[in-house]
């Protein structure tokens, strides 16, 4: 394992300059996909890549690839990057860090005159956030064949449905000529802020991401009987909200029951008729289950269904449990995860294995290429917020690990 260091000050300066594009008064960034500000950030990124000697191509969904040649042009590239778009009240680091870390890797190799065997490409994926155009991770998803190019381009602006992602990419000049996804990738690495509190609480600069959680989402409808809140005696009630409350409590207990990795959330509840003196006749609520192991997600599914049936039976209620979405757990490539872990150890950087709780472009890339991620802590674990912050030394550490893990892969030792 080599032991090369990146230029942390240059990385920080680039992040701060990029963050001025779409800067908000509270210190965050608003740079939605397909906007003029997105185009400004893309142009700055391309200018920096070309100054670093890279050749830039743009594919049909606007994904940008900046290639640093290797000794052997027949080898597929090692790809690293993330996204330049943000949430409406986003921060300076979500996505931007992964792209700027990739650029810093290339700049460092240039400083050292280091020629890799395989080419290295920095990628900026289109519309990772899914905030203006839903769903999320559309650029990497189209690249990986999860969405067709037509479907990706036809995605509509949530607030202005007459606008499509394809139309907006045309307008800002980033509907590129390169085919989408016909692009072999030897390995994909993504550096990202953790967006959670685990690394900061443990006092560790590096998270070795071993995979992403699987998810099961449900829509649950509980039906009882509407009745007057005064004349209806307690034993005669079929109160859908009381039943739903017991089910929601069960969801929380199921999450605690599969600690430490399970997450279980009810985030939306609709009560009908939602009148203070009518016994609720119908309740609709959502469930979001997450866990890195499919077998545990299956157990949580069975426990949820049993708990809903039991709660419904005590009130003579009907309950419909509909699975709305399923996303399997994504384990990352063992060899690349090992390269990340060894790179951290070689730099004497304290680290732990960690599971990604959020979606990332890497989750779709893992379907088409060996993939790994590197997490660095963010202050207070807060992200998707204008106060999102990260320490320069942690960002430098993550980028150093990225550089050394990439070299392990780019020089053919893996
Ligand atoms: Zn992100």
């Amino acid at each position: 394992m080599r032991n090369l260091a990146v230029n942390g000050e240059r990385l920080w300066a680039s992040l701060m300059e990029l963050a001025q594009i779409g800067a908000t008064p509270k210190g965050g960034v608003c740079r939605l996909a397909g906007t003029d500000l997105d185009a400004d950030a893309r142009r700055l990124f391309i200018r920096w890549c070309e100054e670093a000697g890279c050749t830039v191509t743009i594919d049909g969904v606007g994904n940008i690839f900046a290639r640093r040649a290797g000794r052997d042009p027949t080898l597929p590239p090692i790809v690293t990057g993330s996204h330049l778009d943000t949430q409406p009240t986003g921060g300076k680091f979500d996505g931007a860090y992964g792209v700027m870390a990739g650029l810093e890797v290339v700049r460092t190799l240039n400083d050292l005159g280091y020629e890799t065997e395989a080419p290295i490409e920095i990628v900026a994926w289109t519309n990772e956030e899914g905030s203006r155009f839903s769903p999320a991770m559309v650029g990497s998803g189209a690249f990986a064949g999860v969405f067709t190019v037509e479907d990706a381009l036809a995605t509509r602006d949530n607030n202005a449905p007459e606008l499509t992602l394809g139309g907006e990419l045309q307008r800002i000049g980033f509907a590129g000529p390169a085919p989408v996804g016909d692009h072999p990738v030897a390995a994909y690495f993504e550096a990202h802020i953790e967006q959670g509190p685990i690394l900061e609480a443990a006092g560790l600069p590096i998270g070795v991401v071993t995979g992403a959680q699987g998810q099961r989402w449900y829509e649950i409808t509980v039906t009882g009987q509407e009745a007057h809140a005064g004349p209806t005696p307690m034993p005669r009630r079929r109160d859908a909200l009381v039943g739903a409350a017991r089910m929601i409590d069960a969801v929380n207990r199921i999450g605690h029951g599969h600690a430490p990795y399970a997450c279980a959330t009810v985030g939306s509840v609709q009560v009908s008729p939602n009148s203070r003196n009518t016994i609720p006749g119908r309740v609709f609520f959502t469930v979001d289950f997450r866990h890195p192991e499919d077998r545990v997600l299956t157990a949580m599914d069975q426990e949820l269904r049993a708990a809903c049936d039991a709660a419904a039976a005590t009130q003579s209620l009907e309950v419909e449990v509909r699975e709305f979405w399923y996303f399997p757990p994504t384990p990352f490539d063992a060899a690349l995860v090992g390269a990340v872990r060894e790179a951290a150890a070689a730099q004497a950087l304290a680290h732990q294995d960690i599971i990604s709780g959020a979606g990332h472009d890497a989750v779709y890339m893992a379907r088409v290429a060996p993939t790994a991620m590197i997490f660095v802590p963010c202050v207070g674990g807060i992200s998707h917020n204008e106060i999102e912050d990260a320490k320069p030394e942690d960002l430098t550490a993550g980028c150093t690990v990225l550089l050394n893990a990439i070299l392990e892969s780019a020089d053919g030792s893996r």
Side-chain angles (χ1 to χ4, degrees), residues 82-83 94-95 128-129 190 192 195 359-360 384:
S82 194
H83 57 97
D94 176 2
E128 191 276 345
E129 293 291 355
E190 183 167 347
H192 207 284
Q195 304 183 286
H360 292 291
H384 285 194

Side-chain angles (χ1 to χ4, degrees), residues 154-177:
T155 317
R156 293 188 177 279
D157 184 320
N158 289 323
N159 295 315
E162 69 279 11
L163 301 177
T164 62
L165 178 59
E168 288 295 87
L169 286 172
Q170 288 274 358
R171 185 183 66 77
I172 65 171
F174 280 92

Side-chain angles (χ1 to χ4, degrees), residues 77-352:
I78 311 299
V79 179
T80 187
S82 194
H83 57 97
L84 294 171
D85 67 315
T86 75
Q87 290 283 319
T89 52
K92 301 184 186 82
F93 303 98
D94 176 2
Y97 172 55
V99 181
M100 292 299 107
L103 177 64
E104 179 53 38
V105 165
V106 165
R107 287 169 165 173
T108 297
L109 293 174
N110 289 349
D111 290 349
L112 299 170
Y114 193 116
E115 196 178 19
T116 53
E117 198 63 32
I120 293 174
E121 291 184 3
I122 317 160
V123 62
W125 301 109
T126 293
N127 186 34
E128 191 276 345
E129 293 291 355
S131 176
R132 181 183 179 203
F133 299 97
S134 305
M137 299 157 13
V138 157
S140 54
F143 183 91
V146 178
F147 311 111
T148 65
V149 173
E150 294 68 36
D151 285 351
L153 295 177
T155 317
R156 293 188 177 279
D157 184 320
N158 289 323
N159 295 315
E162 69 279 11
L163 301 177
T164 62
L165 178 59
E168 288 295 87
L169 286 172
Q170 288 274 358
R171 185 183 66 77
I172 65 171
F174 280 92
V180 179
D182 184 16
H183 190 126
V185 172
Y188 177 72
F189 289 97
E190 183 167 347
H192 207 284
I193 56 169
E194 180 198 338
Q195 304 183 286
I198 294 169
L199 293 175
E200 185 184 61
L204 301 173
I206 299 294
V208 179
V209 189
T210 56
Q213 289 180 327
Q215 302 182 31
R216 282 183 187 271
W217 290 11
Y218 302 85
E219 291 185 341
I220 299 184
T221 305
V222 185
T223 308
Q225 188 170 45
E226 288 165 28
H228 197 298
T232 315
M234 296 305 288
R236 292 186 65 93
R237 296 179 180 215
R238 296 174 58 214
D239 186 328
L241 182 55
V242 172
R246 290 174 179 158
M247 296 171 200
I248 292 167
D249 181 54
V251 167
N252 185 262
R253 280 187 282 112
I254 291 167
H256 283 289
H258 294 280
Y261 292 120
C263 292
T265 306
V266 174
S268 173
V269 179
Q270 292 162 17
V271 180
S272 166
N274 209 23
S275 164
R276 72 177 65 210
N277 54 359
T278 298
I279 297 164
R282 183 178 171 279
V283 174
F284 167 92
F285 65 97
T286 60
V287 175
D288 174 328
F289 277 166
R290 303 184 187 212
H291 197 278
E293 290 173 62
D294 220 18
R295 128 193 112 68
V296 179
L297 275 180
T298 303
M300 293 167 73
D301 176 272
Q302 288 161 354
E303 289 167 34
L304 173 68
R305 291 173 192 276
C308 288
D309 287 344
T314 60
Q315 297 265 319
S316 300
L317 303 167
E318 280 135 47
V319 61
E320 185 204 8
V321 179
R322 187 170 85 83
E323 187 171 276
F324 175 73
W325 191 53
Y326 167 64
F327 190 91
T330 307
F332 288 151
D333 182 81
L336 294 197
V337 172
V340 170
R341 197 181 287 118
E342 285 168 35
Q347 299 286 329
L349 291 166
H351 57 279
Q352 71 165 60

